[in-house]
Amino acid sequence: MSPQPARMLLLLSALLLALPSRGAAQNPAPAPTPYEQILTPYLHGDFREALRAANNVVDSDAQNASALALRARIWYVLGDYSRVVQDCKLALSLLGRSSDSDPDALLARGSALLFKGEVDEALAAFNTLLRTTRSPEAFAARARAWRFKGELAQELADLDEAIKLSRQSLYLHKRALAYHDLGRYDPALADLTEALKINKNSAISFALLGTVLARKGDLERASKAYSKALSLDPEYTYPYLGRAAIRMHKGETEAGMKDLADAIRINGSDFAPWLNRADAYWQLGRKEEALSDYRKALDAPGLRAPSLLIAIGDRLSAYQLWDEAIAAYARAAKAKPSAIPLLRIAAAKEALDKPKQALSELDEAVALEPASTAPWIARGMLKLNLGQYDDAQADMSQAVKLAPNSPGVRVARGKFYARTGKPQLALADFNSALEGDPNLADAYNSRGALYANTLGDLDKGINDIIAAVVLRPEDPNYQLNLGMMQLRARQYDKALAALNTAQILKGPRVRILQARARVYARLGDHSSALRDVNSALEKEPRNPDTYEALGGIRMLAHEYEQAVRDLNQALRIYDDHLPALIQRGGAYGGLGEFKAAIADFKRASDLAPRAKEAWLGSCTARRLRKDYAQAVTDCTHALDVDPNYAPAYLQRGLAFLRLPEPYRAISDLNNAYQFGMHRAEVLLARSYGHALAKQYQESHRAYIAALAIDPNVRNFQSAFSPLPDASDDYYTALTDIEALMAPGLNEPYALIVRADALHNAGRYDKAIVEYTRAMEADGSLYEAYVGRANCLFAQDSYDAAQQDYLRAAELAPADSDTRLRLATLLTIRRNYRSAIAEVMKVLRSDPSNPEAYLRAGNIRYFQGDYAKALDNYRLAVRYDPDSASAHNGVGMGYFALRQYPEALDAYSRAISLNPFVDRYYRNRASVYTNLRRFSDAAAEFKSASLVNSDPALAEEYQKLIKESELQAESN
């Protein structure tokens, strides 16, 4: 900085003293003391001039402790921390303990102690000083101590007193800094304006002005202020940092990184440039460079601010460098004892699986701040994890006692209730928290998890998590939670977007990779799924959750042997890993090893008696082992946990069919369909149950409804693998009870059911005979005409089939299913106008009929009007979101419009709803083929071949698989 203003003032004073006096004699102004020669330019903001003066004084009097202490303050401003320490040590050695009554000595000793980090001792010295003299420097000195302690309001109060006594540029600058740190930018701007009027060449005030303007959003003027500061002092590091931040924000990465490099070049001993560049590398995702700079910042001698040490600790924690993070937090705790760093240390020690050491840290935090709720809450949750329920509840009660109406405390207690099986109490606390603070993101996040995981309302859960994300979009954990919720809701494209955002925001890397791998697997993107799993394993080779995720990916591809190997690895690392046990049970089931499957499911249910998936798996395995009574018992356990659990109703219903208890089976199968399993297999099983109960009309209607969902349905699925049990074949099952049906075989509906069985087996000629016999028995049975028309349709006898459909429609004009079958036939015959007319008749009487919209979509699709087709398919999904056929239709619409990512998402939803329909995999393979991702296409064709093992299709599937693999190799 230029020394000229100070020198001009000194010269002017000398000239005035040399002039002869006029009038009465005047007392000359006292000459400035050596200390004042340093202090005057220092308070004016001319630090290099002040340094020259200080050097001169110390050179002439090496025992001047006050000059040494003041020079330490100048070194601090100039960023030379090693010399700060050197001067402070020397000053303190000169002062000793004889300075308690000397104001100058008190000021010097307090300043030196402050820079040594002995803040409380420094504050005591300044308090003693203020009892001796209420000078502006005394107030300014104590203000510095308050700043070191993080007490900004008290700092501001002392600066107000100093400025009242003397409006110095530096005091105004310091008060502006306090205002800035308190978020009061307008008074900060006013103080800086006045400081710059006093000293228009103050680089530090222009630099701070840049920061205040940046905080107010005026980046252009902020950048100019930083540049002005640099023009005044090119060796001042701070404005480089400020300008770099603006440049990085504007996407000018190269220029921003150059500014940061310049700051480090000028003063590599200062922590600030290293810390700022570390954060820049962090934002750019350059982990190794970021870590290197964070470590250099920690090694820099001037880093003492607890908030900065905690911030670096948080970064190290994000990289799971727990020991280094603990060291940073411990320094923060030493600099300013408080609960915050202790809570961080405890969390890190929990992550290191050292709960007892973590508990010790929390005990200290509680003792240090017994009136603060955070330590009590943290200790309560840790004790809950350790199974110390009573002690945990006592800690949580103490937190509530301290702040009964605090929204944050209500959220904490809500989490406690959620963990201890009291969902309604948890919900009440989350609701109360949001009434107290509608912008509390953690309350939305916690309530969303409760809705989705415990109360069974996934839609409400997702809406709450979205609210949390809107309130705090920068929080990666909320984005991760949203992605995982959307995965469960089959919103795969949205889930992928949320997880990618969580990754950009530097969320927990391994958990994000695990979740994203599951999404990719659901989308059939096998290569990306395996890539993410392998990346997760590279980061944490012994993470059981990653092996469990890998096992799940293998299961989706029906690779059961490989799934068992991967899940074995998860269980070697952690033998009580509940999801891995359940998954491995399913894999054993897929291999037909039902005894091993049952053992895994039993162990899982012993570990978690409310794990409905474990009870369902055991039920399914026992049913397939023909242990039907025990299967019923296990499924009942699952339904005790979740009365709306559709898969358990299906499996228990199938078990009841074999006992046989047809009426209970019919009830369960109805519930399975009503609670979301809109699958042809469910209706086919129900048809068989009605036949067992000799309810032949209901049996036929369930059969026709099954064909409406999937015309190719033949079996009740076994649930573990796409290969059905032979006894679940519809024709075989009905043939087995033909003797039971024999007494009623002359009854028209019994004839129709027998004909349905023949139709399902592809024995169309024999089925036609039986349908005709039913018509002869009762010519008013429209169902017989529909059944015969279905057989004629399958034989490509379109004229005869159309006549039978028309006759059925005449007999039952209100029957929508008949008209929709007629519409399907007319569509195949390209009579689109008549086809759409039939669909419109249905929609006039039932405007929310999903099957009608599905047929309308098919008609528009065959007409080549893909946009209208897509609109109709979407309406089908709207009125039946659990219809796999409707989602498949949406995929067809998007595919025809070349919107491949959307098509992929829709086909994947169809597969998740019904993984045993081969055409869904074939459709998804078509997307991958068009995207030139042939290895994924080959995997899809392989899945299709496993799902539909019809020997007539085997050769075609092998050809498709081979072609895709060859194309993948050539690419």
Side-chain angles (χ1 to χ4, degrees):
M1 296 179 189
S2 172
Q4 294 304 315
R7 287 185 178 176
M8 291 295 291
L9 285 173
L10 291 171
L11 180 60
L12 182 60
S13 298
L15 288 171
L16 287 171
L17 287 171
L19 290 174
S21 59
R22 292 186 180 179
Q26 296 181 359
N27 293 325
T33 66
Y35 183 81
E36 289 170 340
Q37 291 172 17
I38 308 170
L39 184 64
T40 299
Y42 176 74
L43 295 179
H44 194 255
D46 298 332
F47 300 113
R48 298 201 186 281
E49 177 63 23
L51 180 60
R52 277 190 286 272
N55 288 336
N56 289 336
V57 171
V58 172
D59 287 345
S60 62
D61 181 5
Q63 304 298 306
N64 192 325
S66 294
L68 286 166
L70 182 51
R71 189 171 69 172
R73 290 162 61 186
I74 300 169
W75 290 129
Y76 184 80
V77 173
L78 297 176
D80 194 335
Y81 299 114
S82 60
R83 291 183 175 177
V84 170
V85 174
Q86 182 180 331
D87 276 356
C88 285
K89 285 183 177 178
L90 185 53
L92 288 171
S93 68
L94 292 169
L95 289 166
R97 298 298 302 177
S98 62
S99 55
D100 289 347
S101 60
D102 181 353
D104 291 340
L106 281 168
L107 179 60
R109 186 156 68 88
S111 296
L113 289 168
L114 193 60
F115 285 127
K116 281 191 65 183
E118 299 175 21
V119 182
D120 289 334
E121 292 84 347
L123 185 61
F126 295 142
N127 284 330
T128 303
L129 172 64
L130 279 164
R131 286 195 292 270
T132 305
T133 174
R134 297 179 67 79
S135 68
E137 263 295 272
F139 281 111
R142 192 171 67 177
R144 294 198 304 278
W146 291 129
R147 167 162 286 274
F148 270 72
K149 289 179 71 69
E151 304 290 351
L152 298 181
Q154 284 146 301
E155 177 195 13
L156 191 63
D158 274 351
L159 287 170
D160 286 341
E161 293 300 321
I163 290 168
K164 286 178 186 176
L165 295 168
S166 178
R167 299 188 74 80
Q168 297 287 342
S169 175
L170 188 61
Y171 296 160
L172 290 162
H173 173 90
K174 292 285 189 181
R175 190 169 70 176
L177 180 59
Y179 279 135
H180 164 272
D181 293 347
L182 289 166
R184 298 171 62 183
Y185 302 125
D186 288 335
L189 198 58
D191 271 356
L192 287 170
T193 302
E194 187 173 352
L196 286 167
K197 287 179 181 177
I198 296 170
N199 182 2
K200 64 181 180 181
N201 295 319
S202 174
I204 64 166
S205 292
F206 272 113
L208 182 55
L209 177 64
T211 302
V212 173
L213 290 170
R215 294 290 187 187
K216 288 172 69 67
D218 192 344
L219 299 185
E220 291 303 318
R221 290 177 65 202
S223 185
K224 289 177 182 177
Y226 288 133
S227 295
K228 176 65 174 176
L230 289 171
S231 72
L232 291 167
D233 187 355
E235 299 299 302
Y236 184 25
T237 58
Y238 182 79
Y240 283 110
L241 304 180
R243 191 170 68 179
I246 292 175
R247 286 174 167 175
M248 298 294 286
H249 177 79
K250 292 165 68 175
E252 299 169 4
T253 304
E254 186 176 350
M257 295 304 290
K258 183 181 182 304
D259 272 346
L260 292 169
D262 282 340
I264 289 171
R265 174 183 55 77
I266 291 165
N267 193 355
S269 65
D270 186 2
F271 71 86
W274 296 111
L275 181 53
N276 278 262
R277 193 170 72 172
D279 281 340
Y281 281 136
W282 167 277
Q283 295 300 327
L284 293 171
R286 294 163 62 175
K287 174 184 175 182
E288 294 308 320
E289 293 100 322
L291 280 175
S292 175
D293 280 0
Y294 282 130
R295 287 165 178 152
K296 286 175 181 173
L298 284 169
D299 290 339
L303 181 58
R304 288 192 295 268
S307 60
L308 296 179
L309 289 163
I310 290 171
I312 295 176
D314 289 346
R315 291 287 196 247
L316 295 168
S317 292
Y319 286 131
Q320 299 185 354
L321 298 170
W322 304 115
D323 289 326
E324 290 184 69
I326 287 170
Y329 295 140
R331 283 175 59 182
K334 183 178 179 181
K336 181 184 178 182
S338 76
I340 293 174
L342 296 174
L343 296 179
R344 298 287 214 289
I345 293 172
K349 288 186 175 178
E350 275 194 84
L352 288 170
D353 198 22
K354 298 178 179 179
K356 290 184 178 178
Q357 292 184 24
L359 189 59
S360 175
E361 298 290 340
L362 294 175
D363 288 342
E364 185 179 344
V366 167
L368 190 63
E369 296 184 18
S372 172
T373 58
W376 293 101
I377 290 169
R379 193 173 72 174
M381 296 305 287
L382 177 55
K383 286 179 177 178
L384 180 62
N385 292 339
L386 294 171
Q388 301 173 14
Y389 178 81
D390 291 339
D391 288 345
Q393 192 168 44
D395 276 358
M396 200 60 63
S397 297
Q398 179 62 25
V400 175
K401 182 179 178 181
L402 287 168
N405 298 317
S406 163
V409 171
R410 288 299 181 99
V411 169
R413 189 173 68 176
K415 291 177 183 178
F416 181 85
Y417 283 142
R419 288 273 306 279
T420 53
K422 299 174 181 176
Q424 294 304 323
L425 290 175
L427 183 62
D429 266 346
F430 296 143
N431 289 339
S432 175
L434 287 168
E435 287 172 8
D437 183 358
N439 295 319
L440 188 57
D442 193 27
Y444 282 111
N445 181 63
S446 301
R447 191 175 70 176
L450 182 73
Y451 274 133
N453 299 330
T454 306
L455 300 177
D457 195 330
L458 189 55
D459 288 339
K460 280 188 177 179
I462 289 174
N463 288 337
D464 268 357
I465 302 295
I466 288 172
V469 166
V470 169
L471 286 166
R472 287 185 58 190
E474 76 288 352
D475 191 313
N477 292 304
Y478 295 164
Q479 296 281 1
L480 172 59
N481 291 347
L482 179 60
M484 295 177 75
M485 293 276 189
Q486 288 167 331
L487 169 59
R488 289 172 56 186
R490 306 186 184 97
Q491 299 172 5
Y492 302 120
D493 53 345
K494 293 180 179 178
L496 200 56
L499 293 170
N500 287 337
T501 302
Q503 184 179 32
I504 292 168
L505 293 171
K506 306 292 185 283
R509 176 78 170 160
V510 171
R511 288 185 62 204
I512 292 168
L513 288 169
Q514 291 165 353
R516 197 170 65 179
R518 295 179 198 273
V519 177
Y520 280 132
R522 285 290 181 185
L523 287 168
D525 188 345
H526 309 278
S527 55
S528 295
L530 292 174
R531 178 203 66 205
D532 274 0
V533 165
N534 288 330
S535 295
L537 287 173
E538 285 174 9
K539 292 185 174 298
E540 293 183 19
R542 290 188 54 78
N543 188 317
D545 293 338
T546 305
Y547 283 104
E548 186 270 326
L550 181 55
I553 292 167
R554 306 292 192 195
M555 294 278 285
L556 289 172
H558 313 296
E559 298 170 349
Y560 301 113
E561 288 185 10
Q562 184 61 54
V564 168
R565 285 196 288 271
D566 293 328
L567 294 162
N568 283 343
Q569 185 64 23
L571 290 163
R572 284 190 198 101
I573 297 168
Y574 178 36
D575 58 0
D576 286 343
H577 195 285
L578 183 66
L581 280 169
I582 294 172
Q583 288 266 36
R584 191 174 69 176
Y588 279 133
L591 293 169
E593 299 178 18
F594 302 125
K595 185 176 180 180
I598 290 168
D600 272 354
F601 291 131
K602 182 173 190 310
R603 187 169 158 209
S605 62
D606 288 343
L607 286 171
R610 293 187 62 78
K612 61 184 180 182
E613 297 84 1
W615 292 112
L616 171 68
S618 181
C619 169
T620 305
R622 291 184 188 280
R623 180 181 72 79
L624 293 170
R625 291 193 81 199
K626 299 181 171 50
D627 185 358
Y628 301 122
Q630 189 59 49
V632 166
T633 298
D634 286 349
C635 270
T636 301
H637 280 305
L639 290 166
D640 287 341
V641 175
D642 181 358
N644 299 332
Y645 194 30
Y649 281 115
L650 170 60
Q651 294 300 324
R652 192 172 72 174
L654 294 175
F656 277 136
L657 286 178
R658 298 303 181 188
L659 280 174
E661 295 187 37
Y663 295 104
R664 296 176 75 178
I666 291 164
S667 174
D668 273 355
L669 294 166
N670 271 329
N671 282 330
Y673 190 88
Q674 292 301 318
F675 289 124
M677 294 200 76
H678 293 185
R679 287 163 52 173
E681 296 83 7
V682 178
L683 296 172
L684 203 64
R686 199 177 80 195
S687 173
Y688 171 60
H690 284 300
L692 271 177
K694 300 184 180 181
Q695 298 172 342
Y696 301 124
Q697 184 175 6
E698 289 83 354
S699 174
H700 169 70
R701 288 177 177 171
Y703 176 70
I704 293 298
L707 293 186
I709 294 175
D710 182 3
N712 300 313
V713 64
R714 299 287 180 269
N715 309 90
F716 324 142
Q717 288 296 337
S718 64
F720 283 131
S721 80
L723 298 176
D725 189 290
S727 63
D728 287 342
D729 175 77
Y730 184 71
Y731 173 75
T732 302
L734 284 179
T735 301
D736 288 345
I737 65 166
E738 195 166 297
L740 181 66
M741 295 173 61
L745 276 180
N746 290 325
E747 181 183 329
Y749 278 109
L751 292 168
I752 289 175
V753 170
R754 177 174 169 76
D756 288 342
L758 292 165
H759 169 266
N760 194 258
R763 302 182 181 188
Y764 301 122
D765 288 335
K766 290 186 176 182
I768 287 171
V769 170
E770 297 299 323
Y771 286 127
T772 304
R773 286 180 61 194
M775 293 175 200
E776 291 169 351
D778 185 348
S780 67
L781 290 181
Y782 77 94
E783 293 99 325
Y785 286 96
V786 171
R788 190 169 72 177
N790 289 340
C791 291
L792 293 167
F793 191 173
Q795 293 178 321
D796 298 334
S797 298
Y798 296 143
D799 287 336
Q802 185 169 336
Q803 290 304 312
D804 272 358
Y805 281 136
L806 287 169
R807 177 60 180 151
E810 289 174 5
L811 291 169
D815 183 68
S816 60
D817 291 338
T818 300
R819 292 201 177 278
L820 294 176
R821 283 177 181 77
L822 175 57
T824 301
L825 175 61
L826 292 168
T827 303
I828 295 296
R829 305 193 77 179
R830 298 185 180 180
N831 188 350
Y832 302 125
R833 180 176 295 179
S834 297
I836 203 70
E838 294 297 329
V839 171
M840 293 309 298
K841 289 176 185 176
V842 173
L843 289 173
R844 276 194 288 272
S845 61
D846 182 5
S848 57
N849 187 309
E851 291 296 324
Y853 288 111
L854 191 56
R855 297 302 185 279
N858 291 338
I859 295 166
R860 299 302 186 193
Y861 185 89
F862 282 113
Q863 286 181 304
D865 190 346
Y866 302 126
K868 283 189 178 179
L870 181 58
D871 288 341
N872 280 290
Y873 289 137
R874 283 170 170 162
L875 285 167
V877 168
R878 175 182 173 186
Y879 291 115
D880 187 359
D882 295 315
S883 168
S885 299
H887 286 287
N888 182 64
V890 171
M892 290 167 54
Y894 278 126
F895 182 79
L897 293 169
R898 301 177 184 271
Q899 296 178 234
Y900 298 131
E902 292 83 357
L904 194 63
D905 189 75
Y907 289 141
S908 300
R909 294 188 196 193
I911 290 169
S912 69
L913 286 162
N914 191 349
F916 301 121
V917 179
D918 62 324
R919 71 177 182 277
Y920 300 161
Y921 295 97
R922 291 183 64 147
N923 288 345
R924 194 161 70 176
S926 298
V927 177
Y928 282 123
T929 299
N930 276 270
L931 292 171
R932 303 189 65 78
R933 292 167 57 178
F934 299 111
S935 61
D936 285 321
E940 293 302 291
F941 286 129
K942 181 180 178 183
S943 292
S945 69
L946 292 171
V947 167
N948 189 345
S949 56
D950 186 341
L953 292 173
E955 185 176 346
E956 179 189 354
Y957 276 127
Q958 287 307 310
K959 180 181 177 183
L960 289 168
I961 293 167
K962 188 173 182 180
E963 286 177 353
S964 295
E965 288 175 342
L966 287 172
Q967 287 177 302
E969 289 173 8
S970 65
N971 278 6

